[in-house]
Amino acid sequence: MSEGGAQRGARRNSHYSIALGSAREALSALRTAAAWGYVAEPSADIVDRFDKVTATLYVNARR
């Protein structure tokens, strides 16, 4: 949320979109690391938190 919070106009939407991509990428990296055995599979709670963050970013990026 900090990515776009200080921006105005089209820049704000752009920054929220970038943050959305980064959040999705972070979860994907976590799942990949789990698949390779480097870390435990993310819990349902962690995935739920990522879902809430990405949903919030999605809404803000489309305003």
Side-chain angles (χ1 to χ4, degrees), residues 2-27:
S2 296
E3 188 81 30
Q7 305 298 321
R8 297 289 176 248
R11 285 181 54 97
R12 184 179 201 143
N13 294 358
S14 177
H15 281 261
Y16 281 135
S17 291
I18 291 166
L20 174 60
S22 294
R24 288 176 174 165
E25 184 178 14
L27 181 57

Side-chain angles (χ1 to χ4, degrees), residues 24-42 47:
R24 288 176 174 165
E25 184 178 14
L27 181 57
S28 178
L30 188 57
R31 286 180 166 155
T32 300
W36 289 351
Y38 293 119
V39 298
E41 190 69 33
V47 173

Side-chain angles (χ1 to χ4, degrees), residues 27 41-52:
L27 181 57
E41 190 69 33
S43 67
D45 182 54
I46 295 294
V47 173
D48 183 57
R49 289 176 189 208
F50 267 99
D51 287 345
K52 287 177 181 171

